[in-house]
């Protein structure tokens, strides 16, 4: 019986592997490092990285010769045509939330089993939480990740939960799959998610999912602050402010 072979495009596969490596394993790398880590010929890595650099998806440090991802990749996930981009639609809501809480406000989206920071407005306090645009963290250990997971269709959420490998980052990280499902159920009831210093010690977050016109969670708005400024007893109050901001973002996003 003849064997059906799947189509293979080596350069495309290698290019995607390079992008994924830089996104998930190391912020930057030279051609030699990429060749060694991925097992590809240096000449092939050179051609692919040069092509990505010319297209604006990679930048190269002239001193270290290391390549790194640019923010242009974030544009690929934004809708076109009549739809307003998620970032553009969320900026007024982020400003509203930032002014109401005086804390760092972020827009995040789900990528595989992790969360990526798309946009950020910093807190007005001298001591504040901040993250680089494009920074990633496991969805189960942060409020925006939990907010999006709780809002996904059941089959998609179940598939993601099967693929998540829980790891403890702090004493409060939820690593039990059953307890995490209970957490998601509670989020569905109250409308917002919280992070009790589960991803980073001393940092509390409150988030809610931003849905598109079809009700699908396209992203999440979150505030992140030192636990001393946003203690657990304030989660309910801040949660209401986050939900108000999300409603504004959803209105803009649906136009």
């Amino acid at each position: 019986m003849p064997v059906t072979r799947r189509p293979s495009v080596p350069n495309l596969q290698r290019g995607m592997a390079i992008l994924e490596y830089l996104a998930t394993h190391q912020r930057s790398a030279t051609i030699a490092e990429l060749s060694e880590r991925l097992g590809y010929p240096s000449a092939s890595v050179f051609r692919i990285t040069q092509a990505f650099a010319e297209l604006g998806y990679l930048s190269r440090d002239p001193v270290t010769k290391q390549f790194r991802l640019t923010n242009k990749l974030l544009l690929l996930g934004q809708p076109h045509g009549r739809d307003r981009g998620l970032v553009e639609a969320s900026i007024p809501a982020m400003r509203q939330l930032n002014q109401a809480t005086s804390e760092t406000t972020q827009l995040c989206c789900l990528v595989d089993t992790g969360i990526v920071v798309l946009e950020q407005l910093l807190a007005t306090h001298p001591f504040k939480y901040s993250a680089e645009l494009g920074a990633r963290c496991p969805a189960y250990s942060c409020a925006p990740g939990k907010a999006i997971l709780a809002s996904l269709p059941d089959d998609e959420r179940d598939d993601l939960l099967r693929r998540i490998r829980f790891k403890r980052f702090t004493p409060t990280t939820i690593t039990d799959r059953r307890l995490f499902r209970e957490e998601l159920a509670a989020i569905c009831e109250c409308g917002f998610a919280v992070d009790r210093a589960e991803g980073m010690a001393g940092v509390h977050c409150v988030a809610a999912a931003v849905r598109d016109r079809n009700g699908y969670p396209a992203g999440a708005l979150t505030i992140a602050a030192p636990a001393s400024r946003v203690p657990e007893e304030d989660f309910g109050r801040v949660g209401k402010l986050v939900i108000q901001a999300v409603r504004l973002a959803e209105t803009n996003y649906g136009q």
Side-chain angles (χ1 to χ4, degrees):
M1 181 177 179
V3 177
T4 301
R5 294 187 176 181
R6 298 175 61 186
S8 177
V9 186
N11 282 339
L12 177 59
Q13 293 169 336
R14 289 176 178 178
M16 294 307 299
I18 289 171
L19 295 181
E20 290 179 355
Y21 177 81
L22 291 173
T24 60
H25 293 85
Q26 192 165 325
R27 292 184 181 275
S28 57
T30 64
I31 290 174
E33 290 168 341
L34 289 170
S35 176
E36 179 183 355
R37 300 292 174 81
L38 298 174
Y40 299 150
S42 295
S44 176
V45 174
F46 172 80
R47 290 192 297 270
I48 293 170
T49 52
Q50 289 300 314
F52 278 134
E54 290 175 6
L55 292 170
Y57 293 106
L58 292 181
S59 64
R60 192 183 193 191
D61 188 299
V63 177
T64 65
K65 308 300 182 183
Q66 292 181 321
F67 285 94
R68 65 180 300 156
L69 300 176
T70 71
N71 289 336
K72 186 176 180 180
L73 282 168
L74 299 177
L75 299 177
L76 297 180
Q78 297 301 314
H80 300 281
R82 293 180 55 196
D83 288 333
R84 299 180 67 187
L86 177 61
V87 173
E88 179 188 357
S90 299
I91 289 296
M94 292 179 66
R95 291 198 185 104
Q96 173 181 300
L97 185 57
N98 180 257
Q99 292 170 2
T101 63
S102 299
E103 300 295 352
T104 294
T105 305
Q106 296 175 333
L107 172 67
C108 305
C109 70
L110 183 69
V111 177
D112 194 24
T113 59
I115 286 296
V116 175
V117 178
L118 296 179
E119 188 56 271
Q120 174 178 247
L121 297 178
L122 294 178
T124 57
H125 302 280
F127 180 66
K128 66 196 72 177
Y129 174 83
S130 67
E132 290 187 11
L133 296 186
R136 301 168 66 104
C137 69
Y140 67 87
S141 67
C142 64
K146 291 193 285 185
I148 294 175
L149 288 174
S151 304
L152 287 172
D154 292 346
D155 56 346
E156 188 172 348
R157 179 174 61 248
D158 291 342
D159 176 64
L160 281 172
L161 290 180
R162 281 193 293 269
R163 293 192 285 117
I164 287 177
R165 297 294 178 262
F166 290 90
K167 174 184 176 182
R168 187 173 299 282
F169 298 105
T170 72
T172 55
T173 306
I174 301 175
T175 57
D176 182 276
R177 207 172 298 273
R178 179 183 61 81
L179 292 178
F180 189 71
R181 285 184 178 276
E182 293 177 358
E183 176 87 354
L184 296 183
I187 293 168
C188 290
E189 290 186 9
C190 71
F192 63 89
V194 300
D195 167 2
R196 306 172 184 84
E198 296 159 42
M200 182 179 296
V203 177
H204 281 175
C205 303
V206 183
V210 178
R211 301 172 186 267
D212 63 19
R213 65 182 64 181
N214 298 312
Y216 187 85
L221 288 183
T222 184
I223 67 104
S228 59
R229 284 207 303 262
V230 182
E232 290 194 31
E233 53 264 32
D234 283 353
F235 283 168
R237 175 184 63 82
V238 176
K240 292 178 181 179
L241 295 174
V242 174
I243 291 174
Q244 290 174 5
V246 161
R247 287 173 180 162
L248 174 58
E250 289 176 339
T251 298
N252 292 338
Y253 193 41
Q255 290 179 354

